[in-house]
C-alpha cells in the first residue's frame, strides 16, 4: 500500500468516524463504482467542488474507503498551496511508493517530451487498474496544482483510459484556475466528468451528530448558535466547538487566516511553548515533506527535542504522522493559518535552512528550488545557480515551472553591467520556456527586450544571440498568427547594417521561409528561398540546404507547380536521407515540410517514413512546435491509406500539444485535420466532425491564409455529410473566395467535388457541370491520381444526375483505378461505393464485387462512415426477388447493446434526456445519440413507442432478473 493510500482518512479532525450527511453524494459515488466495476465499465473523473472546509476531503476519504473495500487499488495525492511550482506534485505524491515505474518498460526517457510523459502516466494507470478490479486516483486541493499537473489531468479527461479507472479531484471552486475549470467543464460536455458541488451541511447533521460526538459537553442550543455562526461549514463548526467561541465569515473562499476561522485555529496554538510552536511552524514550511531530521535542521535543534515536541503536537491533534517518518499539519487550512502567522524573517530562515540541509544530503536542484525561491531576499549567485539548474531540468516536461524559476532568478539579478550577459541568457531561456507552455505573448515581449540588449556588432561568433532571439521572436509571432509582423521583423534584421553573419542570415532566411508563405504567395518568396539555399551551399551547411529545399518543395506544392515540387522534394529527400539524426537535431522542421510535400504528391510511404524520423528527433530534442505538424502529416497519410484508428490517435496527440502551446493558429490547423479524420472514422449520423470543424473555423478567426481556407473546406465537407448542401457551398466560397484562388491548388479538384455535390443536391445542375469541368482541367494539370479520381467522380455525379447511369458508372470505375494505383485506399473504397449502385443496373455481378471490396476495405480500415454508406446501399446492389408479403414483425429490443437497453429502461420509467444523462454520467448529446441508434434498430420513431415496447418486454420476460430503475 502506498504512503498516500495509508494516510489517515479523516481530514477534518479527530479519529476516523462515519461520514455525517452527504447521503445523496454517496449514492452517486457508489453508482460510479458500480458502473466502473460493472461488465461495461470504463473510466470516470469525479469533480468534488466547494469552499474550504466544506467536507470535500472527508467525502473523498470515504469514497477511497469504499473503493478499497471493493478491492480497488487506491492512490492518494494532493497539491499544496506553497509548492505550486513543483511539477506534477499531486501525481508524484499519489505514485510515491507505488512499485510501478512512471514510464512503460523499455520506453525511452520521457523527460524530453511532456506530452509523452502524459501518455505514459495514463497508460500506467491502465496497467495498475488491470492488475486488480480497478484503480481510484484521488487528488486533493487541486486548485493549487501546478500547470504540468493540470495539463496531465486535461489529457486524461479528453482521452479517458480504457480501463476501470476513477480519478476523483477535490478543489475550491472559487480558487480554481480557468484552465482547470475549462478542462473539467469540457469533460462534463463529453460525458467523462461527474461534478458534485458540496453545499453546507444540514443543521441536524451538525447539531445532533457532529456536536455530541466531538464536544459532548456543549448544549444543543449552544451547538445551534455555533452552527449559525459557521454557515454550515463543518470544519469551522468543529473548530468553534473545540475553541468554545463564536466566529464570523465562515466558509468564504478568501485566505482563511484573515477570517474568524483563522482566529479559531490559531487559538489552538496558544497553549504551546515557543519551541513547540516553532516546530509546528517548521512543519507548515515543509508541508508533508517534514521528516524529524529535516525538522531538526530547520529549527536548529536536536532530533530528541524535536521528537518530544512532535509527541505533544500529535497529542493535541495538530499534527498527523505520515508513513515514512514524515509529519504534516492536520488540515491544509490549518497549515495556511500557521504558515501565514509565522514571522516572515523566521519563515525565510527556515526555508534557507531546509535548502542547505537538502543540499548537504545530496538532493537535486529540482527538490531544493522551492526552498531556495522562498528564502531569496537579494542577489545570491549560488541560489540563482540552483534555480537555473532546476529550470533546465524541467524545461521540457514542466516549462511553466521552468519559466517561473527563471523569472525568480531574474527578479533578484542586479541591474549592473557585469550581469548583463547572464541576464540576457536567462531572459532568452525564459522566453523559450514560455513559448512552449502557452505564454506566447509574454515570450514575444521578453524577446523584444533581448533583441534590444543585443547590438548588431556584438561579436564575431558565427551564430549570435541576437539572431537567435529574432528568429524565436518570429516563431512566436507566427504562432500568434501575426505573419506580417514576423516577416517584417526578419526582413529588417536581414537588411540591417552591419549585416548578420552568413550563418545568421541562413537561420533568419529559413524562418522567413516558414513565416512568409502564410502572409503572401510563395512566388513572392521564391527568390529569398533560392538565396538562402545558395548561401547554405556556400557554407557547406547541408542541414540548412535540406531546410531550404523542403521549404521550396512545400511552397511549389501549395502553388500547384508539381514539376518544381517534385524536383525540390527529390533533392530535399536525398539530402535528408544522407544526414544523421544528430545532424538534424537542431532543425527537424525540414522533415515535417518534406513529409507534407510527399503526402500531397501522394508518395505516402516516403511521407510516413520522414514523419516517423522527425517524430523521433523532435521528441528527443523537445521541439514541441514541430510535433503537431509531424503527427498530422502521419495522420493524413493514415487517413488516405485507410488506417483510421491510428489516424485518430495521432490527431488527438497533436491536439493535446497544440492546446498546450496556446496558439489559435496551430489549433485551427490541428482541429481541421482531426475533423477530416472524424468524417470517415465516425458513422454517418454522427455530428462530432461537424462540431470539431466549427471549432477549427472559430480558432482560425478572420484569417485568410491557406490553413484557414482548408478549415472552411473541411467544414463544408462535414456540412455535406450532415445534409446541409447550402452551408457546404457557402463554406467553400468563404474559404476560397468566389474564384477559389485562395484554395490549395494541389487539393482544389477534391474541394470542387464538394461544390459539385452541393449544386446537385440543391438542383443547380448547370453550376455542377461548370465546377466539374474546372475540376477536370485542374486535375489534368496536377497529374495526381487522387485528384484526377476526384475530378472523374465530379463528372460522374453530373452524368448520374442527368440520368446517364452507364457513363457515370464507367467514370466511377476509372476513379477506382486511379486511386488504387496511388495507394489512396480511402478514395478507392469511396469511389467503389459510389459506383456500385450504378453498375448494378447493367452488371449486377460487377456491382456486388465492387460493393464487397469496398466494404471490406472500409471495415478493415475502421471507416465507419463508409461501412455505414455500404449498408445503406446494400439493397441497391444486392437486389433480392420480391418476397411474399409478411405480416409486419413487432419491434424488438434484442439488437440493443447493454447501454442502449439501460437507456430504454430509463425512458420507460419516464426520465427526461437530462435526467438520464445525470443518472448515467453522460452528456445529454450522448444520450440523444444513443436514442437515435435505438430508434434505428427498433424501427420506432418516438419516446412513447419506445416506452411502450420496453414495458411490454419487461412484462413478458420475468426470468432475466432485470428490475425497473429506482
Amino acid at each position: 500500500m502506498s504512503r498516500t493510500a495509508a494516510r489517515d482518512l479523516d481530514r477534518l479532525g479527530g479519529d476516523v468516524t462515519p461520514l455525517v450527511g452527504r447521503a445523496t453524494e454517496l449514492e452517486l459515488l457508489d453508482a460510479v463504482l458500480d458502473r466502473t466495476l460493472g461488465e461495461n465499465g470504463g473510466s470516470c473523473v469525479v469533480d468534488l467542488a466547494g469552499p474550504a472546509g466544506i467536507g470535500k476531503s472527508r467525502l473523498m476519504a470515504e469514497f477511497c474507503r469504499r473503493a478499497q473495500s471493493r478491492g480497488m487499488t487506491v492512490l492518494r495525492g494532493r497539491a499544496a498551496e506553497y509548492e505550486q511550482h513543483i511539477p506534477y506534485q499531486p501525481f508524484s505524491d499519489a505514485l510515491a511508493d507505488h512499485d510501478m515505474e512512471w514510464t512503460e518498460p523499455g520506453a525511452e526517457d520521457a523527460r524530453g517530451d511532456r506530452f509523452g510523459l502524459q501518455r505514459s502516466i495514463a497508460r500506467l494507470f491502465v496497467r495498475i487498474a488491470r492488475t486488480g478490479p480497478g484503480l481510484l486516483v484521488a487528488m486533493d486541493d487541486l486548485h493549487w496544482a501546478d500547470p504540468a499537473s493540470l495539463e496531465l489531468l486535461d489529457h486524461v479527461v479528453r482521452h479517458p483510459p480504457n480501463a476501470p479507472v476513477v480519478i476523483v479531484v477535490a478543489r475550491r471552486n472559487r480558487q480554481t484556475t480557468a484552465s482547470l475549470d475549462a478542462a473539467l467543464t469540457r469533460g462534463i460536455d463529453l460525458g467523462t466528468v461527474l461534478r458534485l458541488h458540496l453545499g453546507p451541511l444540514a443543521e441536524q447533521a451538525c447539531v445532533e451528530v457532529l456536536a455530541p460526538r466531538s464536544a459532548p459537553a456543549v448544549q444543543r442550543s449552544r451547538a445551534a448558535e455555533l452552527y449559525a455562526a459557521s454557515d454550515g461549514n463543518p470544519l469551522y463548526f468543529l473548530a468553534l466547538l473545540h475553541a468554545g467561541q463564536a466566529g464570523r465569515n465562515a466558509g468564504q473562499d478568501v485566505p482563511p487566516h484573515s477570517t474568524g476561522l483563522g482566529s479559531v485555529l490559531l487559538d489552538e496554538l496558544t497553549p504551546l511553548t515557543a519551541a513547540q510552536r516553532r516546530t509546528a511552524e517548521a512543519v507548515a514550511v515543509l508541508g508533508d515533506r517534514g521528516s524529524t531530521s529535516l525538522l531538526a535542521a530547520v529549527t536548529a535543534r536536536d532530533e530528541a527535542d524535536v521528537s518530544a515536541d512532535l509527541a505533544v503536537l500529535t497529542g493535541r491533534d495538530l499534527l498527523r504522522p505520515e508513513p515514512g517518518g514524515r509529519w504534516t499539519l492536520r488540515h491544509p487550512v490549518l497549515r495556511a493559518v500557521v504558515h501565514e502567522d509565522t514571522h516572515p524573517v523566521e519563515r525565510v530562515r527556515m526555508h534557507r535552512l531546509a535548502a542547505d540541509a537538502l543540499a548537504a544530503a545530496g538532493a537535486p536542484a529540482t527538490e531544493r528550488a522551492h526552498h531556495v525561491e522562498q528564502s531569496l531576499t537579494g542577489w545570491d549567485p549560488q541560489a540563482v545557480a540552483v534555480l537555473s539548474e532546476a529550470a533546465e531540468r524541467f524545461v521540457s516536461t514542466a516549462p511553466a515551472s521552468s519559466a517561473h524559476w527563471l523569472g525568480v532568478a531574474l527578479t533578484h539579478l542586479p541591474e549592473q553591467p557585469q550581469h548583463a550577459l547572464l541576464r540576457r541568457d536567462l531572459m532568452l531561456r525564459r522566453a523559450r520556456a514560455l513559448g512552449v507552455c502557452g505564454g506566447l505573448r509574454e515570450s514575444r515581449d521578453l524577446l523584444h527586450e533581448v533583441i534590444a540588449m543585443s547590438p548588431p556588432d556584438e561579436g564575431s561568433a558565427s551564430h549570435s544571440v541576437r539572431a537567435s532571439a529574432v528568429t524565436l521572436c518570429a516563431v512566436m509571432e507566427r504562432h500568434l498568427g501575426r505573419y506580417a509582423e514576423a516577416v517584417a521583423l526578419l526582413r529588417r534584421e536581414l537588411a540591417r547594417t552591419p549585416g548578420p553573419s552568413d550563418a545568421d542570415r541562413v537561420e533568419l532566411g529559413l524562418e522567413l521561409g516558414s513565416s512568409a508563405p502564410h502572409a503572401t504567395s510563395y512566388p513572392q518568396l521564391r527568390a529569398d528561398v533560392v538565396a538562402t539555399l545558395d548561401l547554405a551551399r556556400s557554407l557547406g551547411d547541408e542541414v540548412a540546404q535540406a531546410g531550404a529545399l523542403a521549404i521550396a518543395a512545400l511552397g511549389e506544392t501549395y502553388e500547384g507547380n508539381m514539376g518544381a515540387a517534385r524536383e525540390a522534394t527529390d533533392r530535399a529527400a536525398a539530402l535528408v536521407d544522407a544526414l544523421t539524426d544528430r545532424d538534424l537535431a537542431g532543425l527537424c522542421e525540414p522533415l515535417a515540410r518534406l513529409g507534407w510535400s510527399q503526402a500531397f504528391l501522394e508518395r505516402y510511404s516516403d511521407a510516413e517514413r520522414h514523419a516517423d524520423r522527425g517524430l523521433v528527433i523532435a521528441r528527443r530534442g523537445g521541439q514541441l512546435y514541430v510535433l503537431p505538424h509531424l503527427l498530422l502529416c502521419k495522420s493524413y497519410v493514415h487517413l488516405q491509406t485507410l488506417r483510421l484508428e491510428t489516424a485518430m490517435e495521432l490527431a488527438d496527440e497533436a491536439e493535446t500539444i497544440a492546446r498546450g502551446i496556446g496558439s489559435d493558429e496551430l489549433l485551427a490547423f490541428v482541429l481541421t485535420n482531426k475533423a477530416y479524420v472524424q468524417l470517415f472514422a465516425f458513422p454517418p449520423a454522427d455530428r462530432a466532425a461537424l462540431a470539431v470543424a466549427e471549432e477549427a473555423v472559430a480558432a482560425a478567426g478572420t484569417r485568410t491564409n491557406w490553413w484557414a481556407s482548408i478549415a472552411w473546406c473541411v467544414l463544408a465537407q462535414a456540412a455535406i455529410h450532415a445534409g446541409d448542401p447550402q452551408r457546404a457551398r457557402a463554406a467553400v466560397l468563404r474559404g476560397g473566395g468566389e474564384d477559389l484562388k485562395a484554395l490549395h491548388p494541389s487539393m482544389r479538384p477534391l474541394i470542387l467535388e464538394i461544390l459539385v455535390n452541393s449544386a446537385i443536391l440543391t438542383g443547380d445542375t448547370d453550376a455542377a457541370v461548370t465546377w466539374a469541368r474546372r475540376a477536370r482541367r485542374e486535375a489534368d494539370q496536377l497529374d495526381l491520381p487522387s485528384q484526377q479520381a476526384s475530378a472523374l467522380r465530379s463528372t460522374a455525379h453530373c452524368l448520374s444526375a442527368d440520368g446517364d447511369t452507364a457513363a457515370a458508372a464507367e467514370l466511377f470505375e476509372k476513379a477506382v483505378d486511379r486511386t488504387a494505383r496511388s495507394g489512396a485506399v480511402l478514395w478507392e473504397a469511396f469511389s467503389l461505393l459510389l459506383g456500385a449502385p450504378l453498375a448494378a443496373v447493367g452488371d449486377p455481378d460487377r456491382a456486388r464485387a465492387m460493393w464487397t471490396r469496398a466494404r471490406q476495405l472500409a471495415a478493415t480500415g475502421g471507416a465507419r462512415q463508409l461501412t455505414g454508406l455500404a449498408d445503406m446501399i446494400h439493397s441497391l446492389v444486392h437486389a433480392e426477388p420480391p418476397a411474399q408479403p409478411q405480416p409486419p414483425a413487432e419491434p424488438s429490443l434484442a439488437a440493443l447493446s447493454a447501454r442502449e437497453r439501460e437507456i430504454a429502461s430509463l425512458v420507460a420509467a419516464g426520465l427526461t434526456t437530462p435526467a438520464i444523462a445525470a443518472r448515467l454520467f453522460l452528456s445529454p448529446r450522448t444520450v440523444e445519440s444513443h436514442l437515435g441508434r435505438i430508434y434505428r434498430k427498433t424501427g420506432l420513431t418516438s419516446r412513447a413507442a419506445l416506452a411502450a415496447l420496453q414495458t411490454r418486454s419487461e412484462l413478458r420476460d420475468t426470468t432475466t432478473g432485470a428490475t425497473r430503475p429506482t
Side-chain angles (χ1 to χ4, degrees):
M1 181 182 294
S2 71
R3 166 173 63 88
T4 47
R7 190 175 284 159
D8 185 352
L9 293 181
D10 186 359
R11 294 283 186 182
L12 295 179
D15 298 328
V16 178
T17 57
L19 183 65
V20 175
R22 309 302 185 196
T24 301
E25 290 86 352
L26 285 174
E27 182 180 356
L28 290 171
L29 293 177
D30 279 337
V32 168
L33 296 179
D34 290 340
R35 192 168 309 284
T36 300
L37 299 178
E39 181 180 351
N40 298 314
S43 61
C44 180
V45 176
V46 178
D47 174 25
L48 302 180
I54 203 65
K56 303 181 297 296
S57 300
R58 183 63 187 88
L59 182 60
M60 175 183 282
E62 179 64 19
F63 191 28
C64 291
R65 187 189 68 77
R66 295 185 180 209
Q68 277 184 314
S69 70
R70 298 178 185 227
M72 296 180 72
T73 300
V74 175
L75 304 176
R76 299 194 65 189
R78 77 181 321 141
E81 180 176 7
Y82 303 106
E83 291 84 21
Q84 294 184 47
H85 297 288
I86 297 178
Y88 301 104
Q89 177 172 314
F91 288 94
S92 59
D93 189 25
L95 293 164
D97 295 331
H98 201 273
D99 57 3
M100 287 190 179
E101 296 293 331
W102 275 46
T103 54
E104 295 177 298
E108 290 187 281
D109 186 355
R111 288 179 295 175
D113 176 9
R114 76 186 195 263
F115 303 105
L117 182 59
Q118 292 172 11
R119 296 190 303 276
S120 183
I121 295 174
R123 286 192 289 264
L124 173 59
F125 288 158
V126 172
R127 288 163 51 208
I128 296 173
R130 289 177 178 170
T131 61
L135 168 68
L136 186 144
V137 183
M139 289 180 291
D140 209 351
D141 293 328
L142 215 66
H143 51 279
W144 286 323
D146 59 280
S149 294
L150 298 183
E151 275 191 351
L152 175 52
L153 178 66
D154 181 52
H155 173 83
V156 175
V157 168
R158 286 187 294 105
H159 307 285
N162 185 24
V165 176
V166 178
I167 296 177
V168 55
V169 302
R171 62 186 178 89
R172 299 179 192 171
N173 46 315
R174 293 185 184 177
Q175 291 175 249
T176 297
T177 61
S179 61
L180 174 57
D181 185 65
L184 293 170
T185 301
R186 187 182 304 118
I188 293 173
D189 294 337
L190 294 173
T192 59
V193 172
L194 167 66
R195 175 169 292 169
L196 298 180
H197 189 278
L198 272 62
L201 274 183
E203 180 175 1
Q204 182 181 13
C206 287
V207 173
E208 298 183 7
V209 182
L210 278 183
R213 183 182 297 160
S214 303
V218 175
Q219 294 183 351
R220 191 185 188 286
S221 58
R222 178 57 176 162
E225 293 176 2
L226 296 180
Y227 173 81
S230 72
D231 289 338
N233 185 295
L235 176 64
Y236 198 5
F237 179 69
L238 289 170
L240 290 172
L241 284 174
H242 186 272
Q245 63 181 24
R248 296 180 180 177
N249 302 324
Q252 303 294 315
D253 273 336
V254 295
H257 53 275
S258 67
T259 69
L261 176 57
S263 300
V264 172
L265 293 175
L266 281 175
D267 189 63
E268 295 188 56
L269 306 183
T270 302
L272 303 181
T273 66
Q276 291 165 354
R277 177 157 185 150
R278 188 159 64 251
T279 299
E281 291 170 347
V283 173
V285 164
L286 296 174
D288 62 356
R289 289 165 170 76
S291 64
T292 303
S293 59
L294 192 55
L295 288 167
V298 168
T299 57
R301 300 170 63 219
D302 293 335
E303 285 193 36
D305 294 335
V306 171
S307 296
D309 290 344
L310 293 172
V312 173
L313 295 171
T314 303
R316 290 184 173 276
D317 195 30
L318 291 168
L319 298 188
R320 299 286 174 84
E322 296 271 349
R326 300 184 181 189
W327 299 87
T328 185
L329 283 156
R330 182 180 72 227
H331 192 279
V333 174
L334 180 60
R335 183 196 176 190
V337 168
V338 174
H339 190 276
E340 294 300 319
D341 196 59
T342 302
H343 193 283
V345 173
E346 181 65 14
R347 191 164 58 233
V348 166
R349 186 184 72 86
M350 287 183 176
H351 279 293
R352 183 178 296 114
L353 290 172
D356 292 343
L358 290 170
T366 51
E367 191 173 338
R368 291 179 279 145
H370 164 66
H371 295 292
V372 167
E373 174 190 349
Q374 297 299 320
S375 63
L376 263 181
T377 57
W379 167 237
D380 183 342
Q382 291 183 332
V384 168
V386 172
L387 294 174
S388 178
E389 183 182 346
E392 184 65 26
R393 172 67 186 275
F394 283 120
V395 69
S396 296
T397 54
S401 295
S402 178
H404 169 78
W405 282 325
L406 290 169
V408 172
L410 283 165
T411 299
H412 292 89
L413 189 64
E415 291 278 1
Q416 296 173 350
Q418 63 267 35
H419 299 301
L421 292 180
L422 175 59
R423 176 176 294 279
R424 189 177 64 173
D425 174 67
L426 294 175
M427 290 171 68
L428 184 59
R429 288 173 56 196
R430 185 165 191 264
R432 292 186 190 280
L434 287 168
V436 296
C437 69
L440 299 176
R441 288 178 175 78
E442 191 177 355
S443 173
R444 187 262 321 271
D445 294 343
L446 197 58
L447 288 164
H448 284 169
E449 294 185 46
V450 174
I451 294 169
M453 295 168 61
S454 306
D457 56 348
E458 62 178 336
S460 59
S462 59
H463 289 283
S464 69
V465 172
R466 180 183 175 90
S468 296
V470 170
T471 302
L472 184 59
C473 188
V475 171
M476 296 302 111
E477 296 283 29
R478 171 157 54 103
H479 283 292
L480 287 167
R482 293 163 50 92
Y483 301 116
E485 290 80 358
V487 171
L489 178 67
L490 292 163
R491 290 201 181 280
R492 185 187 70 174
E493 189 65 17
L494 287 164
R496 68 172 170 78
T497 303
S501 68
D502 287 346
D504 285 346
R505 189 173 291 277
V506 168
E507 180 183 2
L508 294 164
L510 290 175
E511 177 52 36
L512 181 64
S514 299
S515 297
H518 296 276
T520 186
S521 64
Y522 180 74
Q524 294 178 277
L525 179 69
R526 190 179 284 124
D528 296 287
V529 176
V530 171
T532 300
L533 176 61
D534 290 342
L535 186 55
R537 187 181 295 116
S538 71
L539 295 174
D541 188 343
E542 293 182 318
V543 175
Q545 291 178 59
L549 285 168
I551 290 171
L554 196 54
E556 300 294 0
T557 303
Y558 286 170
E559 294 302 314
N561 299 324
M562 291 305 157
R566 291 184 178 96
E567 180 186 357
T569 298
D570 291 341
R571 292 172 63 191
L575 264 177
V576 164
D577 290 343
L579 294 168
T580 67
D581 285 1
R582 178 170 293 186
D583 292 332
L584 292 168
L587 186 69
C588 67
E589 280 193 275
L591 286 163
R593 294 194 178 93
L594 177 58
W596 273 111
S597 299
Q598 291 170 325
F600 291 140
L601 290 172
E602 301 182 18
R603 301 175 179 179
Y604 299 124
S605 59
D606 287 338
E608 183 170 8
R609 176 168 60 86
H610 287 120
D612 279 335
R613 188 180 179 196
L615 286 169
V616 171
I617 297 171
R619 291 190 198 283
R620 189 183 300 142
Q623 300 182 50
L624 295 178
Y625 299 114
V626 190
L627 279 174
H629 300 281
L630 291 162
L631 290 164
L632 292 177
C633 176
K634 186 173 180 179
S635 176
Y636 178 82
V637 169
H638 282 212
L639 168 64
Q640 299 299 315
T641 54
L642 220 52
R643 291 172 282 171
L644 292 188
E645 182 177 354
T646 50
M648 276 298 303
E649 292 173 357
L650 292 161
D652 283 340
E653 183 181 350
E655 181 188 359
T656 297
I657 297 172
R659 292 189 186 279
I661 290 175
S663 166
D664 286 343
E665 179 78 7
L666 180 59
L667 182 61
F669 182 52
V670 169
L671 293 176
T672 296
N673 282 271
K674 180 177 179 177
Y676 200 29
V677 176
Q678 288 178 328
L679 275 173
F680 298 97
F682 293 167
D686 197 297
R687 299 174 67 88
L690 180 63
V692 173
E694 289 171 339
E695 186 181 356
V697 166
T702 58
R703 299 181 182 91
T704 57
N705 55 57
W706 83 271
W707 281 5
S709 71
I710 291 296
W712 281 103
C713 292
V714 171
L715 176 62
Q717 186 79 50
I720 281 284
H721 282 242
D724 192 346
Q726 292 93 344
R727 187 182 188 189
R729 180 184 183 279
V732 172
L733 296 179
R734 168 62 178 80
E738 290 295 331
D739 59 0
L740 304 186
K741 292 296 186 182
L743 298 180
H744 194 328
S746 66
M747 298 179 67
R748 201 177 285 156
L750 190 60
I751 299 167
L752 284 164
E753 188 178 357
I754 301 173
L755 290 175
V756 170
N757 279 319
S758 66
I760 291 173
L761 290 171
T762 55
D764 191 354
T765 53
D766 290 341
V769 170
T770 301
W771 293 126
R773 287 172 180 166
R774 179 172 176 179
R776 193 69 174 265
R777 290 196 305 271
E778 298 207 18
D780 288 342
Q781 293 173 358
L782 293 171
D783 192 23
L784 294 173
S786 291
Q787 299 301 320
Q788 291 174 330
S790 176
L792 288 168
R793 289 196 302 270
S794 289
T795 303
H797 291 313
C798 295
L799 291 171
S800 177
D802 197 39
D804 193 345
T805 303
E810 182 180 352
L811 288 183
F812 278 126
E813 290 212 48
K814 287 183 178 180
V816 170
D817 180 63
R818 292 281 201 286
T819 52
R821 284 192 284 122
S822 74
V825 185
L826 168 67
W827 300 116
E828 179 186 356
F830 187 63
S831 301
L832 283 166
L833 288 172
L834 293 179
L838 301 180
V841 176
D843 190 347
D845 291 340
R846 173 61 179 158
R848 284 191 289 270
M850 292 171 67
W851 183 92
T852 300
R853 173 162 174 74
R855 200 185 190 292
Q856 181 182 20
L857 290 174
T860 302
R864 288 182 286 173
Q865 175 73 233
L866 299 186
T867 57
L869 175 60
D871 294 343
M872 283 189 283
I873 67 171
H874 180 275
S875 60
L876 300 176
V877 177
H878 298 78
E880 299 291 342
Q884 293 299 319
Q886 297 289 334
E890 181 180 349
S892 171
L893 302 174
L896 301 189
S897 67
R899 174 52 62 85
E900 290 164 353
R901 285 175 176 272
E902 190 172 25
I903 290 175
S905 180
L906 293 172
V907 167
L911 273 68
T912 63
T913 293
I916 295 173
R919 176 73 64 89
L920 301 181
F921 316 123
L922 301 173
S923 68
R925 187 174 65 181
T926 301
V927 173
E928 287 294 337
S929 296
H930 280 299
L931 284 171
R933 285 191 286 273
I934 291 170
Y935 294 150
R936 286 195 297 275
K937 290 179 180 181
T938 60
L940 301 174
T941 59
S942 69
R943 295 173 73 98
L946 175 60
L949 176 60
Q950 174 69 25
T951 301
R952 290 197 302 272
S953 176
E954 290 178 359
L955 290 174
R956 278 198 304 266
D957 187 359
T958 60
T959 65
T960 61
T963 58
R964 290 181 179 271
T966 58

